[in-house]
Amino acid sequence: MKRIFLSAALALAVAGSWAFYPKATAEPAGYMMVISTLVLPDPTMLTITPDGQQMETKIKGKGFNINNVDLTRDDLDKSVLNKPNELHRIGWRVAHITSTEANSRIKNTYLLEKQ
């Protein structure tokens, strides 16, 4: 009788644990990149998806025009931060950030991975 009860309890525990087994997702796995480049007069942001598609957009922000050459790194960061935040809301997280500044060019690269 003890063996039957123990076997039934064990079978029930195994069956219940499958409910918590991770499910396969249909979403693309891998990494996404967001590259922002500030070169006057046209700052741009390039988004590269895990399947290799590229989408380039112009950065629109306060002070970005051809007459204003006193743009700072903070101006770029404030304008570009919206994209990683938007991607974070749909399940991406920032894995690595690289920033470079040379010859009046500021470049930020965000590497994102799916959570």
Side-chain angles (χ1 to χ4, degrees), residues 5-57:
F5 177 72
L6 183 60
S7 297
L10 183 60
L12 185 61
V14 168
S17 68
W18 276 330
F20 298 102
Y21 192 75
K23 310 284 186 289
T25 60
E27 298 174 7
Y31 293 93
M32 182 180 295
M33 289 182 83
V34 177
I35 303 167
S36 62
T37 307
L38 173 60
V39 179
L40 291 177
D42 295 319
T44 60
M45 182 175 4
L46 177 66
T47 304
I48 305 172
T49 61
D51 59 356
Q53 294 180 355
Q54 297 183 8
M55 180 176 43
E56 186 172 5
T57 56

Side-chain angles (χ1 to χ4, degrees), residues 71-112:
L71 299 176
T72 65
R73 187 181 190 118
D74 291 338
D75 292 332
L76 178 66
D77 290 340
K78 288 175 190 175
S79 298
V80 174
L81 191 58
N82 291 331
K83 188 65 173 180
N85 284 337
E86 175 187 318
L87 293 170
H88 179 71
R89 284 186 224 108
I90 60 171
W92 291 91
R93 98 177 164 85
V94 176
H96 187 72
I97 300 171
T98 305
S99 296
T100 57
E101 188 170 348
N103 300 331
S104 300
R105 175 183 233 184
I106 301 171
K107 182 176 178 180
N108 292 333
T109 303
Y110 296 86
L111 180 66
L112 298 108

